[in-house]
């Protein structure tokens, strides 16, 4: 009975997350691009960059003057269904963060987040964005441009910004990538706190907001409370 109740609660959270995510960015935005110019990226290549002109962005036939739409006019948005998947990857994990932060010791939190099911679910959402981008013509950045990001002799930051500006699907992939790993680390912090009796709500919150500093804050909390960094979790001997 307990297992069935847990599964129902998990399904309810996923449904709520899905509904919130799907409505968050609807309706989709259309964009009107202005004249283009070129920017120099590492390797001396020229890359087109849309320059906003005095045009209006319409959503459902109505004028929108929000800053978000102004940015979307320049950069553009991913086509469906990647656009919806991006929203889901953004808002879907939030109810589970609420459990980890506000109810870290509750039975429902331990049942829902005790396994990797939730993290794996959002990892699959990220995989969906990647796979959908690959099959779209021009949906992903050329390999040469991607390699420029990891070229130590060039300008990795400029190369990255070039990809962000010209490939909306790259933004969708990277964003869901980051949010999924944040949830994975936030869950690990919460588990470590349960195992060793360390307060973790503040660390998990920071992990959700700004990522790696949340892990640093957890280590600081462990030191201040005298818990240390924890033991080496690697097994000394591997059974064959």
């Amino acid at each position: 009975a307990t297992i069935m109740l847990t599964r129902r609660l998990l399904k309810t959270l996923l449904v709520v997350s899905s509904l919130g995510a799907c409505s968050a960015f609807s309706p989709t935005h259309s964009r009107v691009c202005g004249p283009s110019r070129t920017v120099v990226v590492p390797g001396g290549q020229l890359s087109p960059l849309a320059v906003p002109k005095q045009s209006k962005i319409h959503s459902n036939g109505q004028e929108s003057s929000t800053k978000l739409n102004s940015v979307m006019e320049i950069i553009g948005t991913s086509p469906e269904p990647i656009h919806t998947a991006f929203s889901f990857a953004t808002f879907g994990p939030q109810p589970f963060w609420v459990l980890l932060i506000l109810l870290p010791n509750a039975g429902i939190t331990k049942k829902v987040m005790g396994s990797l099911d939730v993290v794996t679910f959002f990892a699959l959402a990220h995989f969906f964005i990647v796979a959908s981008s690959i099959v779209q013509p021009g949906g992903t950045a050329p390999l040469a441009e991607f390699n420029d990001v990891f070229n130590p002799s060039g300008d990795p930051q400029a190369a990255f910004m070039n990809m962000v500006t010209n490939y909306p699907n790259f933004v969708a992939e990277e964003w869901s990538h980051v949010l999924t790993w944040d949830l994975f680390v936030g869950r690990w912090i919460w588990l470590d706190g349960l195992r060793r009796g360390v307060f973790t709500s503040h660390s998990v919150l920071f992990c959700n907001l700004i990522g790696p500093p949340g892990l640093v804050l957890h280590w600081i909390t462990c030191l201040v409370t005298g818990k240390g960094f924890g033991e080496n979790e690697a097994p000394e001997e591997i059974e064959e």
Side-chain angles (χ1 to χ4, degrees), residues 43-56:
Q45 299 177 346
L46 296 180
S47 176
L49 175 63
V51 179
K53 69 176 182 179
Q54 294 181 350
S55 59
K56 297 179 181 179

Side-chain angles (χ1 to χ4, degrees), residues 182-204:
D182 282 351
L183 183 60
F184 178 84
V185 176
R187 174 183 173 274
W188 181 89
I189 292 174
W190 166 73
L191 286 174
D192 187 59
L194 289 180
R195 285 193 296 262
R196 301 196 291 134
V198 180
F199 180 75
T200 60
S201 292
H202 61 309
S203 302
V204 174

Side-chain angles (χ1 to χ4, degrees), residues 5 38 61 63 108 113 129 155-156 197 199 215 221:
L5 177 61
T38 56
E63 180 181 354
I108 178 61
M113 298 303 295
I129 293 176
D155 189 342
F199 180 75
L215 180 59
T221 303

Side-chain angles (χ1 to χ4, degrees), residues 197-199 220-228:
V198 180
F199 180 75
I220 294 175
T221 303
C222 291
L223 289 177
V224 171
T225 57
K227 300 293 184 178

Side-chain angles (χ1 to χ4, degrees), residues 57-232:
I57 302 174
H58 297 275
S59 175
N60 277 1
Q62 297 180 350
E63 180 181 354
S64 176
S65 60
T66 62
K67 293 182 178 179
L68 175 61
N69 287 346
S70 298
V71 174
M72 294 172 76
E73 180 183 13
I74 301 173
I75 300 177
T77 59
S78 297
E80 295 295 348
I82 297 177
H83 189 78
T84 299
F86 177 91
S87 301
F88 179 76
T90 300
F91 297 98
Q94 302 313 313
F96 303 101
W97 282 109
V98 171
L99 292 177
L100 295 176
I101 295 169
L102 298 182
L103 302 170
N105 296 311
I108 178 61
T109 305
K110 295 177 181 178
K111 293 291 184 181
V112 172
M113 298 303 295
S115 68
L116 281 171
D117 292 349
V118 172
V119 177
T120 302
F121 180 78
F122 289 107
L124 290 173
H126 171 259
F127 177 76
F128 171 79
I129 293 176
V130 174
S132 299
S133 299
I134 291 175
V135 299
Q136 289 179 358
T140 57
L143 184 60
E145 293 188 29
F146 186 79
N147 289 339
D148 285 336
V149 178
F150 298 94
N151 182 6
S153 62
D155 189 342
Q157 184 180 22
F160 183 85
M161 290 306 300
N162 176 66
M163 295 181 66
V164 168
T165 303
N166 291 290
Y167 302 98
N169 288 351
F170 176 75
V171 178
E173 184 277 329
E174 285 297 302
W175 182 245
S176 60
H177 178 165
V178 169
L179 293 182
T180 301
W181 281 125
D182 282 351
L183 183 60
F184 178 84
V185 176
R187 174 183 173 274
W188 181 89
I189 292 174
W190 166 73
L191 286 174
D192 187 59
L194 289 180
R195 285 193 296 262
R196 301 196 291 134
V198 180
F199 180 75
T200 60
S201 292
H202 61 309
S203 302
V204 174
L205 174 62
F206 269 74
C207 192
N208 184 20
L209 296 177
I210 52 179
L215 180 59
V216 175
L217 183 58
H218 176 61
W219 283 342
I220 294 175
T221 303
C222 291
L223 289 177
V224 171
T225 57
K227 300 293 184 178
F229 286 134
E231 300 178 355
N232 188 334

Side-chain angles (χ1 to χ4, degrees), residues 1-14 99 107-112:
T2 303
I3 295 176
M4 292 297 297
L5 177 61
T6 301
R7 289 179 177 175
R8 289 179 181 178
L9 289 173
L10 178 57
K11 290 181 180 178
T12 301
L13 285 172
L14 290 174
L99 292 177
I108 178 61
T109 305
K110 295 177 181 178
K111 293 291 184 181
V112 172

